């Protein structure tokens, strides 16, 4: 029997595209809020003995997770053969240690919630820094697909003589991969975060590469303050305006306009979170990973 892909609200394009890639059925459902703010969830497509996939990117996770887990629980109770989650952006991964006494390590707690609700998970470039793999924290089969080859193709097609720049040490895993794919040099800057919107960056001399076009590469652009600080340091040194390339376009609040005002030559992201800056389609690599999980021996579906 064909798998069924259900879309959580706002994820219809992703779910339709996944269904097409997986030769699956696009499931009908209703998810809405009662007037009191509680969630109403109904699956209209019968799920008994069928693999179910829920499509839901998890920016703004607090509002999304409760109806998402109700969907998964409903599918299970109605006899689904397995319930997987395709979430192009996986939230909460940045809080990966107790930075101050008493803080919640939400990456671990959120991972446990995912493990309790789903049988498997596919995501794109989760922010794994102190956790070395998703498997270390999420207690179900997971696949983290990497957007670096797609970012590299975009740079190759759109930027002549680039230098790839990672704004902080955490970004090195992404910028190094993209640089290899592009066949261009890269540097990693030093960042000190003093607050949510207060970031200091120091930049080395680019030497022989100073006439190249800087391409800032990061996994997440959230407040944009990391990239804005990097843009300012580049400008102070007289380097060219950078292209800002990110996997996940959180771009909270004024981040998008502030980045443009700061002097970004362009802002380009993947469609893991829907945003006007999306120019790189990650649906194909996600679908391929979901297909592998569905077919895996031992059967998650
Ligand atoms: C964190 O370490 C990430 O890799 C990004 O550098 C960070 O999330 C960017 O955040 P913001 O845009 O708020 O500076």
């Amino acid at each position: 029997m064909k798998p069924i892909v259900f879309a959580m609200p706002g994820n219809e394009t992703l779910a339709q595209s996944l269904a097409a890639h997986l030769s699956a059925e696009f499931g009908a459902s209703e998810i809405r809020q009662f007037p009191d703010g509680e969630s109403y969830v109904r699956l209209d497509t019968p799920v008994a003995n069928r693999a179910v996939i829920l499509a839901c990117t998890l920016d703004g996770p607090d509002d999304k997770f409760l109806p998402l887990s109700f969907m998964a629980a409903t599918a299970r109770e109605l006899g689904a053969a397995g319930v997987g989650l395709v979430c192009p952006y996986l939230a909460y991964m940045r809080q990966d240690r107790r930075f101050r006494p008493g803080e919640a390590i939400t990456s671990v707690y959120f991972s446990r919630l995912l493990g309790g609700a789903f049988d498997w998970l596919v995501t794109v470039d989760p922010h794994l820094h102190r956790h070395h793999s998703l498997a270390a924290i999420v207690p179900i089969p997971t696949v983290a697909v990497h957007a670096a080859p797609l970012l590299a193709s975009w740079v190759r097609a759109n930027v002549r003589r680039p230098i790839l720049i990672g704004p902080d040490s955490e970004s090195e895993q992404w910028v190094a991969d993209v640089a290899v794919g592009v066949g261009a040099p890269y540097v990693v800057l030093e960042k000190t975060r003093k607050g949510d919107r207060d970031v200091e960056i120091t930049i080395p001399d680019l030497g022989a590469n100073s006439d190249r076009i800087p391409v800032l590469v990061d996994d997440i652009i959230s407040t944009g303050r990391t990239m804005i600080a990097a843009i300012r340091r580049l400008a102070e040194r007289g380097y060219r305006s950078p292209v800002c390339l990110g996997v996940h376009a959180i771009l909270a609040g004024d981040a998008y306009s502030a980045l443009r005002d700061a002097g970004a030559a362009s802002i380009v992201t993947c469609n893991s979170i829907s945003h006007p800056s999306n120019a790189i389609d990650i649906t194909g690599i996600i679908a391929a990973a979901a297909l592998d999980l569905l077919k895996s021996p031992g059967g998650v579906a």
Side-chain angles (χ1 to χ4, degrees):
M1 272 193 284
K2 280 183 172 187
I4 312 172
V5 183
F6 288 100
M8 295 303 289
N11 292 267
E12 292 77 10
T13 306
L14 168 67
Q16 293 273 16
S17 178
L18 274 176
H21 276 90
L22 298 173
S23 302
E25 182 177 352
F26 180 75
S29 61
E30 182 171 340
I31 302 149
R32 65 177 174 85
Q33 282 200 316
F34 287 112
D36 60 6
E38 294 183 4
S39 292
Y40 172 86
V41 163
R42 191 183 72 239
L43 302 183
D44 290 325
T45 304
V47 296
N49 304 312
R50 295 177 70 181
V52 165
I53 300 154
L54 303 186
C56 186
T57 203
L58 282 171
D59 58 313
D62 292 14
D63 288 342
K64 292 179 176 177
F65 189 73
L66 204 54
L68 177 64
S69 59
F70 289 156
M71 281 283 279
T74 310
R76 280 204 169 143
E77 203 166 58
L78 296 177
V83 185
L85 172 64
V86 171
C87 67
Y89 174 67
L90 182 57
Y92 277 117
M93 293 296 110
R94 285 179 292 175
Q95 193 69 23
D96 58 3
R97 82 172 168 92
R98 190 163 282 124
F99 297 93
R100 298 170 65 181
E103 282 182 346
I105 307 175
T106 44
S107 54
V108 172
Y109 314 149
F110 190 58
S111 298
R112 281 185 207 144
L113 290 172
L114 292 166
F118 294 97
D119 296 305
W120 54 267
L121 164 74
V122 172
T123 190
V124 181
D125 285 321
H127 187 86
L128 294 171
H129 177 49
R130 291 172 189 88
H131 302 304
H132 295 300
S133 70
L134 264 189
I137 48 173
V138 183
I140 49 174
T142 58
V143 178
V145 298
H146 300 295
L150 299 178
L151 299 184
S153 300
W154 186 91
V155 174
R156 276 200 310 273
N158 292 282
V159 187
R160 253 169 25 101
R161 296 200 73 242
I163 175 164
L164 288 302
I165 301 180
D168 57 24
S169 58
E170 295 179 28
S171 67
E172 181 155 10
Q173 55 183 305
W174 290 281
V175 75
D177 279 359
V178 176
V180 168
V182 174
Y186 77 91
V187 290
V188 173
L189 312 184
E190 275 179 35
K191 173 168 101 178
T192 310
R193 186 180 286 280
K194 297 182 161 176
D196 291 345
R197 291 168 184 274
D198 185 3
V199 171
E200 276 182 10
I201 294 255
T202 53
I203 186 167
D205 194 317
L206 299 185
N209 294 316
S210 58
D211 63 334
R212 287 177 174 260
I213 297 178
V215 179
L216 292 164
V217 179
D218 211 349
D219 59 334
I220 299 169
I221 313 177
S222 181
T223 65
R225 267 49 195 184
T226 297
M227 288 217 172
I228 288 169
I231 291 169
R232 291 192 176 135
R233 297 297 85 76
L234 288 164
E236 284 164 8
R237 293 282 187 97
Y239 299 136
R240 302 164 79 153
S241 293
V243 173
C244 294
L245 190 55
V247 179
H248 304 296
I250 296 208
L251 289 160
D254 70 346
Y256 193 39
S257 56
L259 260 179
R260 284 185 299 201
D261 293 347
S266 59
I267 303 157
V268 170
T269 61
C270 300
N271 58 351
S272 57
I273 299 170
S274 177
H275 187 269
S277 60
N278 292 167
I280 299 169
D281 183 10
I282 41 82
T283 320
I285 57 172
I286 295 179
L291 199 57
D292 283 351
L293 273 173
L294 286 168
K295 287 181 172 168
S296 65
V300 291

